[in-house]
Amino acid sequence: MTVPALRVSGLSVWIGSGADSIQVVDGVSFDIDPGEATGLVGESGCGKTMTAMAILGLLPSTGVRVSCDHIEINGRDVSRLNTAQRRKVLGRDIAMIFQQPATALDPVFTMGQQISAVYRRHADGNQRRAHEAMLASLESVGFERPEEIAQAYPHELSGGMRQLSMIAMAMVCKPAVIIADEPTTALDSSTRALILHQLQQLQALHGTAMLFISHDLGVVRQSCRNVMVMYCGRLIEKTDCQNLFSHARHPYSAGLLSCIPQLGATRPGRISSIPGQVPALADLPSGCHFAARCNRSEPRCSESTPVLDAQDKKGVACFRPL
Amino acid sequence: MMRETWQRLKSDPYGLSGLIVVSVFFLIASCVWSGLLGQGWYEVSGTRWEGISAEHWFGTNLIGQDILQRTLFGTATAFEVGLTVTICSTLLGTVMGALSGWYNHSWLDEIILWLKGVLDAIPFYLFAAAVAFALQGSPWAMHVAMIVTFWTTTARIIRGEVIRIKQRGFIEAARAIGLPGLKTVFRHVLPNTFHLLLVQASIVFVAAINTEVILSFLGLGIQDGVSWGLMLAESSQEVLAGHFGNFLAAGTALFLLLMGFNLLADALQDALDSRRIVR
Amino acid sequence: MLGVTFISFLLMVYFGPDKTYELLGKNPTEEQIREVRHELGYDRPFLVRYGDYLRELVTFDLGLSDSNGEPVAAILARTLPVSLALVLPGFVIGNLLGLALGLLAAWYRGKWLDKLVMSASVVGMSISFIVIIIGLQILLCTPYGLNLFPVRGWQVDGPGSYLYYVTVPTLALVLVTLGYNTRFYRAVMAEEIERDHIRTLRAYGASPAEQLFKHVLKNSLVPVLTRIMFSIPFVVISGSLLLESYFGIPGIGLVTFNAITSGDQPILKAVVGLTGILFVVALMINDMLYSLVDPRIARP
């Protein structure tokens, strides 16, 4: 039994304070093993990014409340660390790749300066060794002339090159876990394939665990072995990708899959959509949040909440799964 | 929108207290204008430099005039200067800004921008002095100098807003149904910038009162009547001899009014800032 | 630059006071008037006179002061250093302190420290310059207060006496500018702190000091420098005008003040021209600094 690279259990996030607070993440628990890539999919606003920010402890201290049983990286609980201790973890043991490389990088420092700064902060203060590590990292994401990239400012690079540099920055300390928040959404499709390929290669090379957040099931299928589906702040199904596409068990997952237009289908069939609307987070129904939109629901669905077995890799939070 | 703004203003204790302070001062000024208060500002009603007494609440000045009366009258002066300058410079700034925003990139826009640049580059007190010369000591020289220099910020704001709003749909729509250009600006664009104008106007008001004090102190300000600036100028010599009446009265009144306006301007800005609703 | 000189020329020379009658006795003849006007150059065309003014400025041949006959250039050379020495400490301290407080308030945005700093800055903005000066004088320079510093004057002959005379004006300048500076810097910094790349820094474990002093500060340098550079001409001329006329310090402000009250045209012309020059120099330095600070401007 290996120790999971990232273990999250019982993570909840509320926005606002007191009686007006809205729960945006509700009891999220999962494990990711070293070298494993797990996708987190769901519609926008379902709490995916909130989950990632809460894991890193990046949510603002005012107006947001976070609670969890524990968040472990390689078996070490990082959720109870104070700010100074947490800073040592961020970037060294767990790193994040953001959605918009154009704004997520500092425009007035070169890529080299930004990447070396991460290395010097966590690994080795020596300027020359940091420079070498930075160049090696840039090379490892596939740049043939890392020196040129190192001397470039973010605005001098294309979107894809910026995202590759961002990946190089995430990988420079060889963290145990990488969280990629919609890393390819802002890019065109040919660049997307390149980025996904590089991410997979690096992951295999260093045995890095990855939490891959996306609303795009197709991208998740390309890059992840396992997948978790999120709806209104809760994980509702965990399975591996193949299984999800062939035998989705939660009615919502099945609905989500049927929304993907089939390329090369002989006759353009109707693009289906899930009936009803996502309930407002401020006013969630009791029981299963999906019950009202579900064609398989029965009375107990709105009375009690179906639960997902916390650390299992597969499971579904539904009383009447498909 | 106005009602919503008022609701938010009411729930802001700082803004509300600012509003109350400004209202009280405005009431005093109105009383002075209608002859109920401060009419004895020029009468020599006591001996010089009297202390605080029931008859002279803040004492008397160098020649025995009552400081309370002068402070009250100064309130009216402050509002006269403030209102004149604010209204005129806001009007001027609005017209100039609307013109240069609507005819963006045309020669008219270029000229107005150039003029703004020039006016912003001249040190204000020198400019005021120059205007005073040019107008041969007219009592309005100070007002003119302030109006001519203060409109630039308003114009810049309005110009930016007009350009921004012009790019949105509804001006296109108004044009499409055949409303002429500039008329459209005044009928549709300007109401959309009203909130910005209000905030800017309160800032100009503060600047006008502040500047009046400094200009009066330099001898370029109010020619007849009395203002807080003149009282402070008087006091600058008296305080060395230990007579603080003028200084305390005018300084405190000035501080309270400016503070009131600053709080009001801040609260207005918060209350009218539509982005706040989203946050 | 041309605009500044043009407007000032228009106002002060063309519409300015006519010296003709001051130079002549009572009841001058028509002939005498024409003669004097010619001597003063009043009869020449507008553009020619404007051209002369520009030439005077460029060659620093600024003529003689009307009031005491001293060359204007010499007066400026004597008084400008005094003014710089007077306003520089206050200007630097006011901006640095404003920057520090603005940074602090922006970092603790919405917390009590932010509210405290912001309330204090509103109070600071509400006190008139004059009130601050007189108030400080009472507190520091008279027997009614601490009586530590001189009420007025400027007899500087070393670091000790410099401190003795410069302290109160400096304090006044700092107090009057601090509120505005703090608010401005807070707004700039708060915007920068919200930016995505600062979030990236936090996600990679950068300390608050590294975030603020390395990244927030460097990114906000453009607006900060613009404000500093463009306020220099105003502080040197307007700030010193008030301080010097009040404290009786023989700098360029006092000279200007006296020129205003006595209508000394050559001096006023020179001061306005000087401001224009300062303004243009500030503009140029500003552009230069931009390209140093922001790589997006440096490398097109």
Side-chain angles (χ1 to χ4, degrees):
Chain A
M1 175 91 189
T2 53
V3 178
L6 176 66
R7 161 169 286 180
V8 174
S9 58
L11 179 70
S12 295
V13 178
W14 292 263
I15 290 178
S17 56
D20 295 334
S21 66
I22 299 168
Q23 186 163 23
V24 289
V25 176
D26 185 358
V28 166
S29 304
F30 59 88
D31 283 2
I32 303 178
D33 290 332
E36 182 193 330
T38 298
L40 177 60
V41 296
E43 292 162 275
S44 13
C46 72
K48 302 182 303 259
T49 302
M50 277 291 172
T51 306
M53 301 297 269
I55 292 171
L56 290 166
L58 287 182
L59 293 171
S61 54
T62 46
V64 178
R65 196 156 57 85
V66 179
S67 91
C68 66
D69 297 333
H70 42 256
I71 295 169
E72 288 174 11
I73 296 173
N74 280 341
R76 178 178 174 224
D77 193 348
V78 297
S79 64
R80 305 283 182 271
L81 297 178
N82 66 27
T83 27
Q85 290 166 327
R86 181 185 293 277
R87 278 209 300 274
K88 292 213 177 77
V89 172
L90 294 177
R92 189 187 66 187
D93 301 326
I94 183 165
M96 182 138 179
I97 296 164
F98 290 97
Q99 179 174 0
Q100 299 281 355
T103 55
L105 293 166
D106 192 322
V108 301
F109 288 90
T110 62
M111 278 321 308
Q113 287 170 330
Q114 295 186 51
I115 298 173
S116 313
V118 175
Y119 188 81
R120 290 171 65 188
R121 196 180 299 145
H122 293 300
D124 186 348
N126 180 292
Q127 196 142 11
R128 194 175 48 78
R129 282 196 290 276
H131 188 75
E132 278 161 14
M134 177 267 294
L135 289 181
S137 191
L138 280 172
E139 205 169 357
S140 75
V141 297
F143 284 121
E144 282 174 8
R145 293 205 184 98
E147 296 86 358
E148 283 177 18
I149 304 296
Q151 281 167 19
Y153 289 96
H155 71 276
E156 296 167 318
L157 303 174
S158 70
M161 288 158 96
R162 273 186 222 135
Q163 194 60 293
L164 282 176
S165 312
M166 182 93 223
I167 295 170
M169 184 159 137
M171 292 305 295
V172 74
C173 290
K174 314 248 172 357
V177 183
I178 278 189
I179 299 180
D181 185 2
E182 308 252 10
T184 57
T185 308
L187 304 172
D188 62 57
S189 52
S190 58
T191 329
R192 181 176 304 166
L194 173 70
I195 301 274
L196 294 179
H197 173 74
Q198 289 296 345
L199 270 175
Q200 268 172 314
Q201 276 216 319
L202 287 168
Q203 228 200 316
L205 188 65
H206 301 296
T208 316
M210 178 163 74
L211 176 64
F212 190 99
I213 297 172
S214 181
H215 63 269
D216 186 342
L217 278 167
V219 169
V220 169
R221 186 189 204 175
Q222 273 179 48
S223 51
C224 301
R225 192 161 53 104
N226 295 324
V227 62
M228 307 183 285
V229 183
M230 202 171 193
Y231 183 72
C232 290
R234 286 182 189 157
L235 291 183
I236 51 150
E237 182 164 8
K238 292 197 247 186
T239 182
D240 58 64
C241 273
Q242 291 313 316
N243 232 326
L244 184 74
F245 279 87
S246 51
H247 310 286
R249 299 194 65 210
H250 197 285
Y252 174 70
S253 314
L256 213 54
L257 282 169
S258 70
C259 295
I260 303 174
Q262 291 298 310
L263 211 65
T266 44
R267 215 181 68 191
R270 271 181 51 202
I271 296 172
S272 54
S273 62
I274 303 174
Q277 282 185 332
V278 181
L281 283 172
D283 190 24
L284 285 174
S286 63
C288 173
H289 296 330
F290 189 62
R293 299 170 72 187
C294 183
N295 55 11
R296 297 170 63 83
S297 64
E298 46 189 56
R300 66 171 168 159
C301 288
S302 5
E303 282 156 16
S304 56
T305 309
V307 284
L308 192 67
D309 185 34
Q311 314 308 133
D312 252 5
K313 296 275 172 175
K314 282 187 187 176
V316 58
C318 183
F319 294 123
R320 294 189 61 202
L322 289 160
Chain B
M1 184 180 116
M2 285 320 287
R3 183 173 300 159
E4 219 177 283
T5 303
W6 171 239
Q7 285 300 333
R8 249 176 287 165
L9 194 62
K10 261 203 321 201
S11 61
D12 179 350
Y14 295 105
L16 198 61
S17 47
L19 186 65
I20 292 171
V21 170
V22 173
S23 310
V24 167
F25 274 103
F26 186 71
L27 201 68
I28 295 174
S30 312
C31 290
V32 173
W33 287 325
S34 55
L36 294 173
L37 270 178
Q39 300 305 303
W41 63 273
Y42 52 85
E43 275 169 29
V44 178
S45 53
T47 53
R48 73 182 205 163
W49 288 333
E50 267 182 44
I52 292 167
S53 65
E55 197 185 343
H56 305 290
W57 290 4
F58 296 145
T60 58
N61 70 356
L62 173 70
I63 54 171
Q65 294 163 322
D66 181 52
I67 289 177
L68 174 67
Q69 295 283 333
R70 292 170 73 79
T71 309
L72 291 176
F73 192 85
T75 309
T77 313
F79 270 93
E80 269 162 37
V81 174
L83 285 175
T84 318
V85 171
T86 305
I87 291 171
C88 293
S89 79
T90 302
L91 281 178
L92 188 63
T94 306
V95 171
M96 294 294 230
L99 280 176
S100 87
W102 187 256
Y103 297 108
N104 192 6
H105 297 312
S106 72
W107 57 270
L108 189 67
D109 185 29
E110 291 293 324
I111 289 181
I112 293 175
L113 284 180
W114 177 83
L115 199 62
K116 278 196 283 196
V118 169
L119 287 171
D120 286 340
I122 300 178
F124 175 73
Y125 300 109
L126 271 185
F127 185 77
V131 172
F133 276 130
L135 296 182
Q136 308 284 359
S138 149
W140 297 100
M142 174 181 72
H143 299 77
V144 171
M146 283 199 238
I147 291 164
V148 169
T149 42
F150 286 176
W151 65 270
T152 55
T153 314
T154 313
R156 189 167 59 238
I157 293 170
I158 295 296
R159 178 176 182 271
E161 277 301 299
V162 169
I163 289 174
R164 205 170 61 83
I165 292 175
K166 215 172 86 171
Q167 285 155 356
R168 292 214 307 240
F170 65 96
I171 297 297
E172 288 297 310
R175 267 181 167 176
I177 61 170
L179 287 172
L182 203 57
K183 204 168 156 192
T184 322
V185 181
F186 286 99
R187 288 217 4 221
H188 295 271
V189 175
L190 292 180
N192 277 297
T193 56
F194 178 72
H195 61 292
L196 293 170
L197 275 183
L198 205 62
V199 172
Q200 179 57 24
S202 57
I203 293 170
V204 169
F205 203 106
V206 169
I209 294 176
N210 238 330
T211 309
E212 182 275 319
V213 170
I214 291 172
L215 286 180
S216 294
F217 178 81
L218 291 174
L220 297 167
I222 294 290
Q223 307 287 328
D224 50 345
V226 69
S227 77
W228 295 336
L230 289 176
M231 291 171 67
L232 284 172
E234 265 178 36
S235 81
S236 69
Q237 297 307 314
E238 298 170 358
V239 290
L240 304 181
H243 304 289
F244 301 122
N246 262 329
F247 172 66
L248 288 180
T252 311
L254 184 62
F255 170 71
L256 286 178
L257 182 58
L258 291 181
M259 186 83 188
F261 259 109
N262 276 328
L263 288 176
L264 188 62
D266 274 8
L268 269 179
Q269 199 152 21
D270 287 352
L272 291 165
D273 191 346
S274 50
R275 283 175 304 175
R276 289 283 169 125
I277 306 167
V278 188
R279 273 182 201 163
Chain C
M1 171 69 196
L2 274 179
V4 177
T5 59
F6 184 75
I7 299 262
S8 62
F9 171 79
L10 198 69
L11 280 171
M12 296 201 299
V13 183
Y14 206 68
F15 294 121
D18 197 326
K19 287 266 173 198
T20 317
Y21 300 96
E22 282 178 37
L23 291 174
L24 296 164
K26 275 181 184 165
N27 304 322
T29 63
E30 195 74 4
E31 186 62 26
Q32 277 176 311
I33 290 178
R34 213 174 301 131
E35 205 171 288
V36 171
R37 289 185 73 88
H38 180 72
E39 221 168 86
L40 291 167
Y42 284 2
D43 56 347
R44 288 186 294 157
F46 176 79
L47 277 178
V48 174
R49 291 180 64 197
Y50 179 54
D52 282 350
Y53 172 51
L54 285 185
R55 204 187 57 237
E56 283 173 10
L57 276 181
V58 171
T59 56
F60 285 101
D61 177 18
L62 300 166
L64 305 177
S65 160
D66 281 352
S67 41
N68 61 4
E70 198 183 342
V72 174
I75 295 179
L76 290 185
R78 177 164 50 83
T79 53
L80 199 57
V82 174
S83 292
L84 286 178
L86 174 71
V87 295
L88 203 62
F91 183 70
V92 172
I93 296 172
N95 274 295
L96 284 182
L97 215 54
L99 201 57
L101 286 173
L103 211 53
L104 201 67
W107 185 251
Y108 291 104
R109 187 172 179 179
K111 310 267 176 65
W112 64 269
L113 194 65
D114 179 27
K115 285 176 186 150
L116 183 76
V117 170
M118 284 299 102
S119 314
S121 76
V122 173
V123 172
M125 281 165 61
S126 305
I127 309 179
S128 165
F129 201 177
I130 307 272
V131 175
I132 289 179
I133 293 179
I134 301 178
L136 279 176
Q137 274 199 328
I138 297 174
L139 288 177
L140 296 173
C141 313
T142 62
Y144 310 101
L146 296 171
N147 202 12
L148 289 174
F149 297 99
V151 170
R152 50 199 294 121
W154 186 264
Q155 275 119 38
V156 174
D157 48 15
S161 58
Y162 175 57
L163 270 183
Y164 183 60
Y165 286 105
V166 88
T167 304
V168 178
T170 298
L171 272 177
L173 197 58
V174 169
L175 281 178
V176 82
T177 52
L178 193 56
Y180 293 95
N181 284 343
T182 304
R183 275 172 79 98
F184 174 81
Y185 290 133
R186 177 187 176 272
V188 171
M189 299 300 162
E191 201 182 317
E192 282 299 327
I193 287 174
E194 297 270 297
R195 299 260 298 266
D196 278 359
H197 60 82
I198 300 300
R199 188 188 60 185
T200 306
L201 282 173
R202 286 194 289 132
Y204 283 83
S207 64
E210 192 180 347
Q211 293 174 39
L212 284 179
F213 296 117
K214 200 170 154 195
H215 294 268
V216 170
L217 218 51
K218 192 170 179 194
N219 271 286
S220 56
L221 270 181
V222 166
V224 168
L225 282 177
T226 309
R227 181 183 174 87
I228 291 179
M229 293 314 297
F230 279 90
S231 54
I232 285 176
F234 295 92
V235 170
V236 169
I237 306 292
S238 296
S240 65
L241 185 92
L242 212 60
L243 282 175
E244 287 167 10
S245 59
Y246 197 87
F247 288 98
I249 294 165
I252 196 149
L254 190 63
V255 168
T256 313
F257 180 67
N258 290 336
I260 289 172
T261 46
S262 66
D264 195 339
Q265 269 189 33
I267 289 187
L268 287 180
K269 280 196 292 187
V271 169
V272 172
L274 186 74
T275 319
I277 292 169
L278 269 178
F279 202 75
V280 171
V281 169
L283 203 72
M284 271 157 46
I285 297 178
N286 202 38
D287 279 355
M288 234 162 60
L289 289 175
Y290 269 11
S291 51
L292 279 180
V293 163
D294 195 330
R296 283 163 297 187
I297 300 169
R299 307 185 194 175

